[in-house]
Amino acid sequence: MIQKLGQVAQKAIKERAETHDSDLTDFDFNSLASTIPANIESGAWYITLEHYAYCNAAGEPIRADVASTIPGAQPMFFLNCEHSGVIRLMEAVTGLPNSLTVLRFIKRSMVTPVPGLHPGIPRHLRITMSLTQHRPSLQPFLDSLPAPFTWDIETQEVAQMTRDAIDNQLHTKHLLFLAVAEAAKAEGNRAFNRKDRQTALKQYKEAIDRAWDAASLRPGTEDTAAAHRLMAVCYANRAATHLLPGEDADPSKALADSQIAEKYDPDYAKGYYRQAKAHEALGEVLQAQESLRRALSRPALSGDKTLLSLLNELDIQYD
């Protein structure tokens, strides 16, 4: 879902680059004076800047957890103009926008909003505090607009209130994504128990995708950690599914999934257990033993009876 959003944004950036984008220097904004609402409550707009993803040097979306390892990686943002919960205009930008980009966006939000909305000037325009550095470039234009138009850049107190509100919204979305992921995982477990490999794989993929969406909403928070723990479980379960007996058994895929499980939750015992079973199925006994010893070296897993039992079995069987 979020990956698709990034692809749509990149398409918008490309289309915008291929089209002459006027800065509206010659437009007569006084001609829109009659559109200014009488009161602030019904005519307030809000300009926001929202980080949503990362891209590589070619402009292709990449995962947040690997962005720091890729040369030329940049953050991607949405410039938004909102009015009463309705998006009046949205523009994707790569890297932090410069003053010209912000000014042009504000002008376009007035003159060329999304289809279905009409040109106009708000009663009041509030600009997110994260764009404060652009005030000197924005002020001449905004101060030139006809009365009773007013504008400001949000204060730190208001910005904190806004961030808290947005954070609560993101947390709610996170919980919804997790609920969908948990439901898909449960379906996958039921399919696994009846040895229905294909259905289980499909459901675990859905669970992983939705858990990834949940993890992407609030990077660096406990919400992300909770989503990563769920992803570890789902990857380990999918590894077990690949190891089910039958023509379609695939220990190589099981190994890959179980290694990802370890990455997302290094203290999840089943991630190591499935790694060891996959290595064993591939005839890689030494690697299987190493996987188990690596797990048992972690304080949280040092006394895990299941891991110890499997290691003892391997030691005896292949001694």
Side-chain angles (χ1 to χ4, degrees):
M1 186 176 298
I2 288 177
Q3 293 94 326
K4 291 181 180 178
L5 184 62
Q7 293 168 359
V8 170
Q10 284 304 299
K11 181 180 179 182
I13 292 172
K14 182 178 179 182
E15 290 175 348
R16 183 169 154 270
E18 294 172 348
T19 305
H20 177 66
D21 197 359
S22 170
D23 62 7
L24 298 170
T25 301
D26 298 326
F27 185 83
D28 180 13
F29 283 88
N30 284 311
S31 67
L32 297 177
S34 62
T35 67
I36 301 176
N39 58 75
I40 292 179
E41 288 74 16
S42 63
W45 298 1
Y46 188 27
I47 303 294
T48 63
L49 181 69
E50 299 179 19
H51 172 253
Y52 72 96
Y54 290 88
C55 69
N56 60 21
E60 302 164 334
I62 57 176
R63 295 171 67 122
D65 57 347
V66 300
S68 63
T69 67
I70 298 178
Q74 293 191 74
M76 301 167 70
F77 298 89
F78 279 132
L79 272 170
N80 296 317
C81 178
E82 302 178 35
H83 172 217
S84 300
V86 176
I87 296 295
R88 186 171 175 84
L89 189 65
M90 176 184 288
E91 180 177 339
V93 294
T94 299
L96 286 169
N98 58 32
S99 295
L100 178 59
T101 298
V102 176
L103 177 60
R104 182 172 54 198
F105 177 79
I106 293 174
K107 290 181 177 181
R108 289 180 57 230
S109 70
M110 296 177 182
V111 180
T112 57
V114 297
L117 298 181
H118 301 292
I121 295 175
R123 176 63 178 78
H124 183 78
L125 181 70
R126 170 156 289 166
I127 300 170
T128 181
M129 191 175 71
S130 60
L131 297 174
T132 300
Q133 68 270 30
H134 302 298
R135 178 191 289 272
S137 297
L138 303 180
Q139 187 164 359
F141 166 70
L142 294 174
D143 285 350
S144 74
L145 293 175
F149 169 79
T150 57
W151 69 282
D152 69 4
I153 294 178
E154 65 183 355
T155 64
Q156 186 170 356
E157 180 181 4
V158 171
Q160 185 61 53
M161 292 173 60
T162 302
R163 282 194 295 270
D164 290 344
I166 292 174
D167 198 52
N168 288 335
Q169 292 175 356
L170 291 177
H171 180 64
T172 299
K173 289 182 180 179
H174 162 86
L175 294 176
L176 289 173
F177 278 134
L178 276 194
V180 174
E182 288 283 5
K185 178 174 74 74
E187 287 294 328
N189 291 347
R190 284 189 281 270
F192 176 85
N193 289 334
R194 61 176 185 269
K195 306 297 188 292
D196 182 352
R197 190 196 313 275
Q198 295 308 314
T199 299
L201 291 176
K202 178 181 177 181
Q203 292 299 324
Y204 288 139
K205 181 182 184 305
E206 171 68 13
I208 289 167
D209 288 345
R210 299 294 76 77
W212 168 250
D213 287 339
S216 301
L217 288 171
R218 301 173 73 230
T221 66
E222 175 54 32
D223 280 357
T224 300
H228 282 176
R229 289 192 292 270
L230 177 57
M231 291 173 72
V233 173
C234 293
Y235 273 110
N237 287 3
R238 196 166 74 173
T241 305
H242 285 303
L243 290 172
L244 283 172
E247 293 181 357
D248 297 332
D250 195 331
S252 294
K253 288 183 178 179
L255 179 59
D257 276 350
S258 57
Q259 288 172 335
I260 296 174
E262 178 186 354
K263 169 187 170 184
Y264 280 114
D265 187 356
D267 287 332
Y268 184 55
K270 289 184 179 179
Y272 299 96
Y273 184 89
R274 288 349 171 347
Q275 277 189 61
K277 298 300 288 185
H279 276 304
E280 184 183 17
L282 292 167
E284 301 168 348
V285 180
L286 291 178
Q287 291 92 326
Q289 293 168 319
E290 171 56 29
S291 296
L292 295 169
R293 292 192 180 99
R294 188 169 65 254
L296 293 166
S297 69
R298 299 189 65 84
L301 301 177
S302 60
D304 189 281
K305 294 181 180 180
T306 302
L307 297 177
L308 285 167
S309 176
L310 180 57
L311 181 59
N312 288 334
E313 288 178 19
L314 293 173
D315 287 344
I316 293 171
Q317 188 173 352
Y318 297 98
D319 196 6

